[in-house]
Amino acid sequence: MRFYILLSLNALTVASLYFLVASGFSLIFGLLRTVNMAHGAFYLLGAYVGYDIASYTGSWLLGLAGAAVAVAAVGLVMHLTLLRTLSGDELRQALVTIGFAIVVGDLLLARYGGITYQFAPPEILYGTTPMPVIRGYPTIRLVVIASALLVGLGLWLLIHRTRLGMLIRAGVDDRDILSAMGFNVQRVLVLVFALGAGLAGLAGVIGGSALSVSPGEDARFLLSSLVVVIIGGMGSLAGAALGALLIGFAEQFGLAFIPNYATLLTFLLMVAVLAVRPQGLLGRG
Amino acid sequence: MKTTLHTILGAAALLSGTALSPAFAQDIRLGALATLEGPFAQSGLDGMRGVELAVDAFEGKVAGKRIVLVKESSNAKPDVAVAKTRKLIEQDKVDIVVGPLSGGEGIAVKEYAKSVPSKTFVNGTSGAQDTTLRDPAPNFYRFTLDGAQWQAGLGSYAYESKGYRNIAVVSEDYSFPYSQVMGFQAEFCSRGGKISQKNWVPVGTKDFTSVIAKLPDGVDAVYVLLGGADAVNFLTQYYQSGGTAPLIGSSVTVDQTVLSSKGAFKNKVLGMISAGPVADSNDDPKWAAFVKAYKAKYPDGLESPSLFAHGYYVSTLAVLQALEQVGGRLDDGQKAFQAALAKTELTDRSPTGLIRLDENRQAVADNFVTEVAQRPDGAFYSKVVTVAKGVDQALGMDRAKFLALGPASRDNPSCN
């Protein structure tokens, strides 16, 4: 019993982390129709920048906020300088984002090297929280779950309860009509891109605290984001949540029971969804 | 900034090595292959440092001939290692290749070596047993110990000095860890120790909490074979999950690439035992001289050279020493050189004691059992507790009997 509860909590933690990264990825895709292959690089950039800020100021929370803001700014600049000029040409946009990701990844490797970094979150987050049945669970992992819930709730409110959200939803459905009705679609695009990038940066710090930061994490989280949105449905927030949950559970239960094939399980899940419902479980056809 | 400068200089050196000075007859072209990309990038970088230090030790010349170093990078995948080795031989026209770094790569390069008998291949640090134990290539030499040899001394230390009787294993799932676990078992299980559970996890696993939850209660210790970021993650999660059983490390679990990492996990690894071909606190003056040369040349390198820097260093030294012996002559299909290399013994130059080869061109050398300790300035290092002298590939067993155990795998040999 204790074992299964632990496994489920672990799966929830991993799912939360995947959701944090994939929600921004999905949001950007929904509006821009561009697969942002630099999303993993945003994650890694956020993690390293957050680490520098946190160790300079001694405050983990500042690192968290700083990473989100810095990466959002990078996303903003990238969109204005690289993507906007290619507006309407999704394939070339995707290629540009791949190039950007490679450049950022190599620059980070040159600056930080190959060693592994780990955040030093406040003492209160680093210990163990006592819990019934399973005795205790690492506090930082509960923080991961809580922040995913907060971000999920925040995004839902943004999309369903604000004017910007209304524009986003309208833009996802039909960008041209929205533009024809006199709304500044470009401004919405830039905001969404910066928001998505900022979320990836935030996730970098949270992921780097619960797990660790090292080169290669960018590719790992880009891949997981892709799988999550393929399963959940491109451009759907609820889809990202569902996809992340499925992957999290598949990965952790796989690792516990059939460790040699745990990775395979994730992709089997993806193949099954693609075969039955190619637009994703909650995607619109 | 410094790194960027180094990269540019390195690239310039590479270009000048390949394009601008095409094959002067008096040059010796030495290829070096290590993983400068992928999961072992940090290790590969340190390996390259070892090659450079060895060439420096000979002041870039052997028997009046200039050593032209051509570097190439793989990413720990066997097919890439072979493609890059082939490129070194065919396009860069190197005479000798030092590398590769990782287990699966070594077996693949050994197979390729058989197809070019007039070139010489010297292993970097790859540690799969079967690179030299079974079906060896006549022109492939390994001056480093294999994965099983790297665990010599650890099993008996864990059993006798630490009193561990029943342990669990958490390990990456490929040929090098199989060899390491076999080497550990050779001593631990023959003394009566038991391994009650083995967990093989894919390389690159970042979240181990579910594996940790599965570890049986009441084991005396947990043997951990994970490298780099995976090790850092496991160690953190193990202590966060309330793990209390002491840990035993493989040769890569608590090396300098892990001990130099930043994070709170380090306070918990004090006293963790492990074994490998190098120990940071070795008081051999030749080791001290090696560390000094390393730190002087690479102020931004690791706290202390890793086993990768050491492995590439001694392998390159062996090549240069044999070249010196034959006066730099590589004609006649390198026959004279290869014969000299097979007989090469590293004595005065080796920072870790005598290294010689057996009949399969596999190293016989010393191995160090260590404990993680902390210096007054806070840096973590591995402290020697015992040294296994002259470890051979059969781990002291009768060679035929050892071969009869079969290749190391997930379940072979068993110990429960």
Side-chain angles (χ1 to χ4, degrees), chain B residues 326-366:
Chain B
V326 295
R329 279 181 50 231
L330 288 171
D331 52 351
D332 193 22
Q334 304 193 356
K335 280 204 190 79
F337 168 66
Q338 291 182 352
L341 192 58
K343 289 202 202 69
T344 294
E345 289 189 359
L346 288 173
T347 50
D348 292 344
R349 290 199 174 96
S350 160
T352 51
L354 172 69
I355 301 174
R356 62 180 179 84
L357 296 187
D358 68 10
E359 68 273 22
N360 277 11
R361 295 159 301 285
Q362 161 64 37
V364 178
D366 296 350

mmCIF file of all heavy atoms in Angstrom, chain B residues 326-366:
data_model
loop_
_atom_site.group_PDB
_atom_site.id
_atom_site.type_symbol
_atom_site.label_atom_id
_atom_site.label_comp_id
_atom_site.label_asym_id
_atom_site.label_seq_id
_atom_site.Cartn_x
_atom_site.Cartn_y
_atom_site.Cartn_z
ATOM 1 N N VAL B 326 61.049 2.600 -30.629
ATOM 2 C CA VAL B 326 61.322 2.172 -32.009
ATOM 3 C C VAL B 326 61.817 3.327 -32.861
ATOM 4 O O VAL B 326 61.825 3.247 -34.097
ATOM 5 C CB VAL B 326 60.074 1.533 -32.669
ATOM 6 C CG1 VAL B 326 59.696 0.262 -31.958
ATOM 7 C CG2 VAL B 326 58.909 2.509 -32.705
ATOM 8 N N GLY B 327 62.209 4.422 -32.223
ATOM 9 C CA GLY B 327 62.748 5.561 -32.958
ATOM 10 C C GLY B 327 61.729 6.230 -33.855
ATOM 11 O O GLY B 327 62.079 6.821 -34.877
ATOM 12 N N GLY B 328 60.442 6.111 -33.471
ATOM 13 C CA GLY B 328 59.392 6.775 -34.244
ATOM 14 C C GLY B 328 59.085 6.110 -35.569
ATOM 15 O O GLY B 328 58.390 6.665 -36.406
ATOM 16 N N ARG B 329 59.594 4.882 -35.782
ATOM 17 C CA ARG B 329 59.373 4.204 -37.058
ATOM 18 C C ARG B 329 58.014 3.521 -37.088
ATOM 19 O O ARG B 329 57.681 2.734 -36.211
ATOM 20 C CB ARG B 329 60.480 3.178 -37.295
ATOM 21 C CG ARG B 329 61.769 3.811 -37.834
ATOM 22 C CD ARG B 329 62.816 2.740 -38.078
ATOM 23 N NE ARG B 329 62.304 1.635 -38.865
ATOM 24 C CZ ARG B 329 62.422 0.351 -38.494
ATOM 25 N NH1 ARG B 329 63.001 0.014 -37.369
ATOM 26 N NH2 ARG B 329 61.958 -0.590 -39.267
ATOM 27 N N LEU B 330 57.217 3.866 -38.118
ATOM 28 C CA LEU B 330 55.885 3.264 -38.238
ATOM 29 C C LEU B 330 55.735 2.543 -39.576
ATOM 30 O O LEU B 330 54.628 2.258 -40.008
ATOM 31 C CB LEU B 330 54.807 4.343 -38.103
ATOM 32 C CG LEU B 330 54.618 4.911 -36.692
ATOM 33 C CD1 LEU B 330 53.689 6.106 -36.709
ATOM 34 C CD2 LEU B 330 54.085 3.847 -35.748
ATOM 35 N N ASP B 331 56.871 2.284 -40.252
ATOM 36 C CA ASP B 331 56.778 1.613 -41.552
ATOM 37 C C ASP B 331 56.497 0.114 -41.371
ATOM 38 O O ASP B 331 56.349 -0.358 -40.245
ATOM 39 C CB ASP B 331 58.085 1.826 -42.341
ATOM 40 C CG ASP B 331 59.306 1.449 -41.510
ATOM 41 O OD1 ASP B 331 59.132 1.206 -40.294
ATOM 42 O OD2 ASP B 331 60.422 1.401 -42.058
ATOM 43 N N ASP B 332 56.406 -0.600 -42.484
ATOM 44 C CA ASP B 332 56.178 -2.040 -42.442
ATOM 45 C C ASP B 332 54.909 -2.377 -41.652
ATOM 46 O O ASP B 332 54.895 -3.266 -40.802
ATOM 47 C CB ASP B 332 57.401 -2.734 -41.824
ATOM 48 C CG ASP B 332 57.346 -4.251 -42.055
ATOM 49 O OD1 ASP B 332 56.645 -4.677 -42.999
ATOM 50 O OD2 ASP B 332 57.979 -4.973 -41.267
ATOM 51 N N GLY B 333 53.823 -1.648 -41.933
ATOM 52 C CA GLY B 333 52.561 -1.935 -41.269
ATOM 53 C C GLY B 333 52.620 -1.802 -39.756
ATOM 54 O O GLY B 333 51.884 -2.492 -39.048
ATOM 55 N N GLN B 334 53.489 -0.941 -39.265
ATOM 56 C CA GLN B 334 53.626 -0.660 -37.825
ATOM 57 C C GLN B 334 54.017 -1.894 -36.999
ATOM 58 O O GLN B 334 53.805 -1.923 -35.789
ATOM 59 C CB GLN B 334 52.338 -0.050 -37.257
ATOM 60 C CG GLN B 334 51.892 1.215 -37.979
ATOM 61 C CD GLN B 334 50.819 1.984 -37.227
ATOM 62 O OE1 GLN B 334 50.334 1.556 -36.198
ATOM 63 N NE2 GLN B 334 50.459 3.143 -37.754
ATOM 64 N N LYS B 335 54.608 -2.916 -37.647
ATOM 65 C CA LYS B 335 54.872 -4.175 -36.929
ATOM 66 C C LYS B 335 55.809 -3.976 -35.742
ATOM 67 O O LYS B 335 55.556 -4.460 -34.637
ATOM 68 C CB LYS B 335 55.472 -5.206 -37.890
ATOM 69 C CG LYS B 335 54.432 -5.885 -38.755
ATOM 70 C CD LYS B 335 54.927 -7.255 -39.233
ATOM 71 C CE LYS B 335 54.018 -7.840 -40.296
ATOM 72 N NZ LYS B 335 54.240 -7.267 -41.657
ATOM 73 N N ALA B 336 56.916 -3.229 -35.991
ATOM 74 C CA ALA B 336 57.889 -3.038 -34.914
ATOM 75 C C ALA B 336 57.258 -2.262 -33.755
ATOM 76 O O ALA B 336 57.430 -2.602 -32.584
ATOM 77 C CB ALA B 336 59.109 -2.290 -35.449
ATOM 78 N N PHE B 337 56.490 -1.237 -34.119
ATOM 79 C CA PHE B 337 55.842 -0.420 -33.094
ATOM 80 C C PHE B 337 54.852 -1.243 -32.272
ATOM 81 O O PHE B 337 54.828 -1.186 -31.042
ATOM 82 C CB PHE B 337 55.149 0.773 -33.753
ATOM 83 C CG PHE B 337 54.217 1.513 -32.837
ATOM 84 C CD1 PHE B 337 54.714 2.199 -31.731
ATOM 85 C CD2 PHE B 337 52.845 1.525 -33.064
ATOM 86 C CE1 PHE B 337 53.859 2.876 -30.878
ATOM 87 C CE2 PHE B 337 51.987 2.192 -32.210
ATOM 88 C CZ PHE B 337 52.491 2.869 -31.118
ATOM 89 N N GLN B 338 54.025 -2.042 -32.970
ATOM 90 C CA GLN B 338 53.015 -2.826 -32.250
ATOM 91 C C GLN B 338 53.658 -3.845 -31.312
ATOM 92 O O GLN B 338 53.174 -4.073 -30.206
ATOM 93 C CB GLN B 338 52.073 -3.513 -33.250
ATOM 94 C CG GLN B 338 51.183 -2.486 -33.967
ATOM 95 C CD GLN B 338 50.195 -3.126 -34.930
ATOM 96 O OE1 GLN B 338 50.255 -4.327 -35.181
ATOM 97 N NE2 GLN B 338 49.301 -2.313 -35.469
ATOM 98 N N ALA B 339 54.778 -4.432 -31.786
ATOM 99 C CA ALA B 339 55.474 -5.395 -30.921
ATOM 100 C C ALA B 339 56.028 -4.686 -29.680
ATOM 101 O O ALA B 339 55.947 -5.201 -28.559
ATOM 102 C CB ALA B 339 56.601 -6.065 -31.696
ATOM 103 N N ALA B 340 56.561 -3.472 -29.888
ATOM 104 C CA ALA B 340 57.097 -2.729 -28.751
ATOM 105 C C ALA B 340 55.987 -2.323 -27.794
ATOM 106 O O ALA B 340 56.146 -2.378 -26.566
ATOM 107 C CB ALA B 340 57.842 -1.491 -29.252
ATOM 108 N N LEU B 341 54.850 -1.926 -28.353
ATOM 109 C CA LEU B 341 53.726 -1.478 -27.522
ATOM 110 C C LEU B 341 53.218 -2.615 -26.633
ATOM 111 O O LEU B 341 52.891 -2.404 -25.453
ATOM 112 C CB LEU B 341 52.600 -0.945 -28.418
ATOM 113 C CG LEU B 341 51.473 -0.180 -27.731
ATOM 114 C CD1 LEU B 341 52.025 1.030 -26.981
ATOM 115 C CD2 LEU B 341 50.418 0.267 -28.737
ATOM 116 N N ALA B 342 53.175 -3.832 -27.206
ATOM 117 C CA ALA B 342 52.679 -4.968 -26.437
ATOM 118 C C ALA B 342 53.573 -5.240 -25.229
ATOM 119 O O ALA B 342 53.123 -5.794 -24.225
ATOM 120 C CB ALA B 342 52.583 -6.203 -27.323
ATOM 121 N N LYS B 343 54.858 -4.880 -25.341
ATOM 122 C CA LYS B 343 55.782 -5.140 -24.235
ATOM 123 C C LYS B 343 55.967 -3.919 -23.344
ATOM 124 O O LYS B 343 56.725 -3.961 -22.372
ATOM 125 C CB LYS B 343 57.149 -5.561 -24.799
ATOM 126 C CG LYS B 343 57.139 -6.946 -25.408
ATOM 127 C CD LYS B 343 58.555 -7.511 -25.433
ATOM 128 C CE LYS B 343 58.704 -8.608 -26.464
ATOM 129 N NZ LYS B 343 58.607 -8.093 -27.855
ATOM 130 N N THR B 344 55.300 -2.820 -23.693
ATOM 131 C CA THR B 344 55.514 -1.573 -22.941
ATOM 132 C C THR B 344 55.049 -1.716 -21.494
ATOM 133 O O THR B 344 53.959 -2.221 -21.227
ATOM 134 C CB THR B 344 54.750 -0.419 -23.623
ATOM 135 O OG1 THR B 344 55.345 -0.192 -24.888
ATOM 136 C CG2 THR B 344 54.819 0.854 -22.794
ATOM 137 N N GLU B 345 55.909 -1.296 -20.599
ATOM 138 C CA GLU B 345 55.508 -1.215 -19.189
ATOM 139 C C GLU B 345 55.672 0.221 -18.757
ATOM 140 O O GLU B 345 56.699 0.842 -19.001
ATOM 141 C CB GLU B 345 56.406 -2.105 -18.326
ATOM 142 C CG GLU B 345 56.161 -3.577 -18.543
ATOM 143 C CD GLU B 345 56.909 -4.436 -17.535
ATOM 144 O OE1 GLU B 345 57.626 -3.863 -16.686
ATOM 145 O OE2 GLU B 345 56.774 -5.666 -17.598
ATOM 146 N N LEU B 346 54.634 0.752 -18.110
ATOM 147 C CA LEU B 346 54.756 2.104 -17.570
ATOM 148 C C LEU B 346 55.213 1.983 -16.125
ATOM 149 O O LEU B 346 54.510 1.405 -15.300
ATOM 150 C CB LEU B 346 53.425 2.838 -17.649
ATOM 151 C CG LEU B 346 52.975 3.274 -19.039
ATOM 152 C CD1 LEU B 346 51.573 3.839 -18.992
ATOM 153 C CD2 LEU B 346 53.929 4.295 -19.625
ATOM 154 N N THR B 347 56.385 2.497 -15.839
ATOM 155 C CA THR B 347 56.878 2.413 -14.460
ATOM 156 C C THR B 347 57.070 3.806 -13.880
ATOM 157 O O THR B 347 56.229 4.281 -13.116
ATOM 158 C CB THR B 347 58.209 1.647 -14.425
ATOM 159 O OG1 THR B 347 59.071 2.205 -15.419
ATOM 160 C CG2 THR B 347 57.998 0.183 -14.718
ATOM 161 N N ASP B 348 58.163 4.482 -14.296
ATOM 162 C CA ASP B 348 58.464 5.791 -13.731
ATOM 163 C C ASP B 348 57.461 6.852 -14.142
ATOM 164 O O ASP B 348 57.184 7.778 -13.400
ATOM 165 C CB ASP B 348 59.869 6.241 -14.194
ATOM 166 C CG ASP B 348 60.936 5.368 -13.568
ATOM 167 O OD1 ASP B 348 60.582 4.681 -12.587
ATOM 168 O OD2 ASP B 348 62.069 5.347 -14.064
ATOM 169 N N ARG B 349 56.904 6.700 -15.347
ATOM 170 C CA ARG B 349 56.016 7.747 -15.831
ATOM 171 C C ARG B 349 54.606 7.614 -15.274
ATOM 172 O O ARG B 349 53.876 8.585 -15.203
ATOM 173 C CB ARG B 349 55.957 7.699 -17.364
ATOM 174 C CG ARG B 349 57.249 8.153 -18.027
ATOM 175 C CD ARG B 349 56.995 8.519 -19.470
ATOM 176 N NE ARG B 349 58.180 9.096 -20.095
ATOM 177 C CZ ARG B 349 59.040 8.388 -20.827
ATOM 178 N NH1 ARG B 349 58.850 7.105 -21.008
ATOM 179 N NH2 ARG B 349 60.060 8.982 -21.371
ATOM 180 N N SER B 350 54.202 6.389 -14.900
ATOM 181 C CA SER B 350 52.828 6.181 -14.459
ATOM 182 C C SER B 350 52.574 6.829 -13.098
ATOM 183 O O SER B 350 53.314 6.613 -12.154
ATOM 184 C CB SER B 350 52.540 4.683 -14.359
ATOM 185 O OG SER B 350 51.416 4.477 -13.529
ATOM 186 N N PRO B 351 51.487 7.610 -12.977
ATOM 187 C CA PRO B 351 51.180 8.224 -11.684
ATOM 188 C C PRO B 351 50.541 7.250 -10.694
ATOM 189 O O PRO B 351 50.339 7.609 -9.537
ATOM 190 C CB PRO B 351 50.222 9.358 -12.039
ATOM 191 C CG PRO B 351 49.695 9.060 -13.390
ATOM 192 C CD PRO B 351 50.598 8.073 -14.053
ATOM 193 N N THR B 352 50.197 6.039 -11.148
ATOM 194 C CA THR B 352 49.487 5.116 -10.258
ATOM 195 C C THR B 352 50.145 3.744 -10.198
ATOM 196 O O THR B 352 49.468 2.725 -10.099
ATOM 197 C CB THR B 352 48.027 4.932 -10.735
ATOM 198 O OG1 THR B 352 48.054 4.607 -12.133
ATOM 199 C CG2 THR B 352 47.207 6.174 -10.516
ATOM 200 N N GLY B 353 51.475 3.725 -10.247
ATOM 201 C CA GLY B 353 52.156 2.437 -10.108
ATOM 202 C C GLY B 353 52.281 1.694 -11.420
ATOM 203 O O GLY B 353 51.767 2.116 -12.459
ATOM 204 N N LEU B 354 52.968 0.561 -11.369
ATOM 205 C CA LEU B 354 53.286 -0.214 -12.568
ATOM 206 C C LEU B 354 52.042 -0.598 -13.379
ATOM 207 O O LEU B 354 51.066 -1.103 -12.838
ATOM 208 C CB LEU B 354 54.024 -1.502 -12.152
ATOM 209 C CG LEU B 354 54.271 -2.518 -13.259
ATOM 210 C CD1 LEU B 354 55.289 -1.991 -14.260
ATOM 211 C CD2 LEU B 354 54.718 -3.846 -12.680
ATOM 212 N N ILE B 355 52.119 -0.345 -14.688
ATOM 213 C CA ILE B 355 51.075 -0.805 -15.604
ATOM 214 C C ILE B 355 51.742 -1.634 -16.695
ATOM 215 O O ILE B 355 52.658 -1.166 -17.363
ATOM 216 C CB ILE B 355 50.344 0.388 -16.270
ATOM 217 C CG1 ILE B 355 49.708 1.289 -15.211
ATOM 218 C CG2 ILE B 355 49.288 -0.115 -17.252
ATOM 219 C CD1 ILE B 355 49.092 2.556 -15.781
ATOM 220 N N ARG B 356 51.309 -2.900 -16.844
ATOM 221 C CA ARG B 356 51.835 -3.721 -17.932
ATOM 222 C C ARG B 356 50.679 -4.439 -18.610
ATOM 223 O O ARG B 356 49.546 -4.390 -18.119
ATOM 224 C CB ARG B 356 52.858 -4.736 -17.381
ATOM 225 C CG ARG B 356 52.266 -5.713 -16.398
ATOM 226 C CD ARG B 356 53.301 -6.707 -15.878
ATOM 227 N NE ARG B 356 52.682 -7.617 -14.922
ATOM 228 C CZ ARG B 356 52.017 -8.729 -15.257
ATOM 229 N NH1 ARG B 356 51.889 -9.058 -16.528
ATOM 230 N NH2 ARG B 356 51.484 -9.495 -14.331
ATOM 231 N N LEU B 357 50.960 -5.114 -19.743
ATOM 232 C CA LEU B 357 49.883 -5.770 -20.482
ATOM 233 C C LEU B 357 49.968 -7.284 -20.356
ATOM 234 O O LEU B 357 51.051 -7.840 -20.198
ATOM 235 C CB LEU B 357 49.964 -5.392 -21.971
ATOM 236 C CG LEU B 357 49.754 -3.921 -22.311
ATOM 237 C CD1 LEU B 357 49.702 -3.730 -23.824
ATOM 238 C CD2 LEU B 357 48.493 -3.375 -21.682
ATOM 239 N N ASP B 358 48.816 -7.946 -20.438
ATOM 240 C CA ASP B 358 48.814 -9.414 -20.474
ATOM 241 C C ASP B 358 48.814 -9.881 -21.937
ATOM 242 O O ASP B 358 48.964 -9.071 -22.855
ATOM 243 C CB ASP B 358 47.627 -9.982 -19.675
ATOM 244 C CG ASP B 358 46.286 -9.675 -20.331
ATOM 245 O OD1 ASP B 358 46.270 -9.194 -21.478
ATOM 246 O OD2 ASP B 358 45.254 -9.911 -19.680
ATOM 247 N N GLU B 359 48.610 -11.190 -22.163
ATOM 248 C CA GLU B 359 48.749 -11.708 -23.536
ATOM 249 C C GLU B 359 47.632 -11.213 -24.460
ATOM 250 O O GLU B 359 47.747 -11.296 -25.675
ATOM 251 C CB GLU B 359 48.837 -13.245 -23.526
ATOM 252 C CG GLU B 359 47.561 -13.968 -23.108
ATOM 253 C CD GLU B 359 47.454 -14.156 -21.587
ATOM 254 O OE1 GLU B 359 48.118 -13.392 -20.839
ATOM 255 O OE2 GLU B 359 46.717 -15.057 -21.149
ATOM 256 N N ASN B 360 46.531 -10.729 -23.883
ATOM 257 C CA ASN B 360 45.455 -10.159 -24.712
ATOM 258 C C ASN B 360 45.612 -8.643 -24.867
ATOM 259 O O ASN B 360 44.674 -7.967 -25.242
ATOM 260 C CB ASN B 360 44.093 -10.449 -24.081
ATOM 261 C CG ASN B 360 43.591 -11.829 -24.432
ATOM 262 O OD1 ASN B 360 44.342 -12.633 -24.979
ATOM 263 N ND2 ASN B 360 42.328 -12.094 -24.137
ATOM 264 N N ARG B 361 46.774 -8.106 -24.502
ATOM 265 C CA ARG B 361 47.038 -6.669 -24.542
ATOM 266 C C ARG B 361 46.092 -5.894 -23.636
ATOM 267 O O ARG B 361 45.593 -4.834 -23.966
ATOM 268 C CB ARG B 361 46.974 -6.145 -25.981
ATOM 269 C CG ARG B 361 48.067 -6.707 -26.887
ATOM 270 C CD ARG B 361 47.740 -6.617 -28.336
ATOM 271 N NE ARG B 361 46.522 -7.314 -28.692
ATOM 272 C CZ ARG B 361 46.409 -8.631 -28.786
ATOM 273 N NH1 ARG B 361 47.458 -9.403 -28.576
ATOM 274 N NH2 ARG B 361 45.261 -9.186 -29.083
ATOM 275 N N GLN B 362 45.810 -6.487 -22.480
ATOM 276 C CA GLN B 362 44.941 -5.862 -21.474
ATOM 277 C C GLN B 362 45.803 -5.533 -20.251
ATOM 278 O O GLN B 362 46.643 -6.329 -19.845
ATOM 279 C CB GLN B 362 43.814 -6.823 -21.082
ATOM 280 C CG GLN B 362 43.134 -6.508 -19.760
ATOM 281 C CD GLN B 362 42.406 -5.172 -19.784
ATOM 282 O OE1 GLN B 362 41.811 -4.782 -20.784
ATOM 283 N NE2 GLN B 362 42.488 -4.438 -18.680
ATOM 284 N N ALA B 363 45.548 -4.334 -19.682
ATOM 285 C CA ALA B 363 46.393 -3.875 -18.576
ATOM 286 C C ALA B 363 46.264 -4.738 -17.326
ATOM 287 O O ALA B 363 45.202 -5.285 -17.015
ATOM 288 C CB ALA B 363 46.036 -2.441 -18.227
ATOM 289 N N VAL B 364 47.393 -4.866 -16.640
ATOM 290 C CA VAL B 364 47.440 -5.392 -15.278
ATOM 291 C C VAL B 364 47.995 -4.242 -14.456
ATOM 292 O O VAL B 364 49.091 -3.752 -14.739
ATOM 293 C CB VAL B 364 48.367 -6.620 -15.195
ATOM 294 C CG1 VAL B 364 48.454 -7.122 -13.756
ATOM 295 C CG2 VAL B 364 47.893 -7.715 -16.130
ATOM 296 N N ALA B 365 47.232 -3.764 -13.465
ATOM 297 C CA ALA B 365 47.670 -2.567 -12.735
ATOM 298 C C ALA B 365 47.039 -2.524 -11.349
ATOM 299 O O ALA B 365 46.244 -3.404 -10.986
ATOM 300 C CB ALA B 365 47.305 -1.317 -13.517
ATOM 301 N N ASP B 366 47.399 -1.498 -10.596
ATOM 302 C CA ASP B 366 46.870 -1.340 -9.245
ATOM 303 C C ASP B 366 45.488 -0.699 -9.272
ATOM 304 O O ASP B 366 45.162 0.055 -10.171
ATOM 305 C CB ASP B 366 47.800 -0.449 -8.409
ATOM 306 C CG ASP B 366 49.165 -1.085 -8.223
ATOM 307 O OD1 ASP B 366 49.307 -2.269 -8.567
ATOM 308 O OD2 ASP B 366 50.074 -0.389 -7.729
#
